[in-house]
Amino acid sequence: MPAQSIWTLLSWGPDGWSQSIASGVLVTIALALATLPFGLVIGFFVAFAKQHEEPSLRLAANIYTTVFRGLPELVTLFLFFFGMPLLLQYLVRRFYPDATIDVNSFIAGMIVLSLIFSSYASEVFLSAFRAIPKGQYEGGYAIGLSKWQTMRLVILPQLLRIAFPGLENCWLSLLKDTSLVSVVNLAETLRNAGVAARVTKHSFLFYSVAALVFLVLAILSSIATGFILRSLGRRETR
């Protein structure tokens, strides 16, 4: 391919595709960041339930992680994106016969990725819980802290420090998994790169650009998480 045509295809002009790919990158980042807090919160409570004294909570948490870690991500996405509207439409039409239900691609992707992310994050949190000696709990109770105060002031800071490296790996997996949502027509990085590849017939070029984008996002994430980890370490030594 001539060098000039490469720069034309990757330009911001009317014949270039950089603006489309850049907008897809923003959607990728937004999807990952929107998913992260929900996945962390759900994962924490699933891990908490896994070590709870109540057998029914442990069973429910184990079923949750078994299902969402066992199903392929694409299957989970298809079940939710194509199956949930049918179920919701069936339920709603019992009261409103003419109602139709549509699922937004971004929302569907966010929910499915939250479920998948939380199932893996819960195992990281569970390992961190088990790494904290029981004496830490007992020490909190001994000085008059309630269970909630002990969890918030004593356990949670240690938990985050122990779990952080594992959560970093979960975050990197989440970044890559955002590309799955391209199959339900969300205009993220891979989807827009694929459109450019089909229109221009330069598949290698645009899929290479998409690969480079995800690699750069992973490197930037590693730098950011390294800074956060050092910050947590400094707080722990104070």
Side-chain angles (χ1 to χ4, degrees):
M1 183 189 305
Q4 182 62 38
S5 64
I6 291 177
W7 296 117
T8 300
L9 291 172
L10 296 179
S11 70
W12 290 81
D15 296 324
W17 291 86
S18 288
Q19 185 173 354
S20 175
I21 293 175
S23 67
V25 174
L26 293 179
V27 172
T28 293
I29 295 172
L31 179 59
L33 290 177
T35 299
L36 182 63
F38 292 102
L40 287 174
V41 171
I42 297 171
F44 175 83
F45 283 106
V46 170
F48 187 78
K50 277 194 168 189
Q51 59 166 9
H52 201 274
E53 296 176 355
E54 175 58 45
S56 60
L57 286 178
R58 294 200 304 271
L59 177 62
N62 283 319
I63 291 174
Y64 178 91
T65 54
T66 298
V67 169
F68 290 111
R69 291 175 68 198
L71 286 177
E73 286 89 345
L74 269 179
V75 173
T76 306
L77 181 61
F78 285 151
L79 284 174
F80 188 88
F81 188 78
F82 296 110
M84 285 301 294
L86 295 177
L87 177 61
L88 292 175
Q89 193 161 292
Y90 171 77
L91 295 174
V92 170
R93 281 188 172 178
R94 301 189 68 176
F95 305 97
Y96 304 97
D98 297 327
T100 57
I101 302 294
D102 293 317
V103 176
N104 178 272
S105 297
F106 188 94
I107 299 300
M110 187 179 72
I111 294 173
V112 171
L113 291 177
S114 295
L115 297 175
I116 296 168
F117 178 88
S118 64
S119 66
Y120 287 96
S122 67
E123 295 299 314
V124 176
F125 281 124
L126 183 61
S127 297
F129 269 122
R130 290 172 175 171
I132 298 174
K134 291 184 178 179
Q136 297 290 317
Y137 295 88
E138 295 167 355
Y141 304 149
I143 62 175
L145 298 179
S146 65
K147 288 185 176 181
W148 163 246
Q149 289 173 323
T150 300
M151 176 61 68
R152 182 169 61 88
L153 300 174
V154 179
I155 304 303
L156 196 56
Q158 299 179 66
L159 186 78
L160 292 176
R161 176 66 179 81
I162 297 169
F164 195 85
L167 294 176
E168 178 186 5
N169 290 331
C170 291
W171 162 254
L172 293 176
S173 295
L174 171 62
L175 265 180
K176 293 182 289 184
D177 285 346
T178 57
S179 62
L180 297 173
V181 191
S182 64
V183 300
V184 292
N185 297 327
L186 181 65
E188 48 73 64
T189 304
L190 185 62
R191 171 74 179 175
N192 287 359
V195 171
R198 288 192 294 274
V199 171
T200 64
K201 309 300 182 184
H202 293 297
S203 300
F204 181 78
L205 172 64
F206 286 104
Y207 285 124
S208 295
V209 170
L212 182 61
V213 166
F214 282 105
L215 183 59
V216 169
L217 290 177
I219 292 172
L220 293 176
S221 296
S222 296
I223 294 172
T225 53
F227 175 79
I228 296 171
L229 188 58
R230 288 192 297 272
S231 178
L232 289 174
R234 285 195 296 269
R235 288 183 182 182
E236 195 173 74
T237 56
R238 289 177 182 175

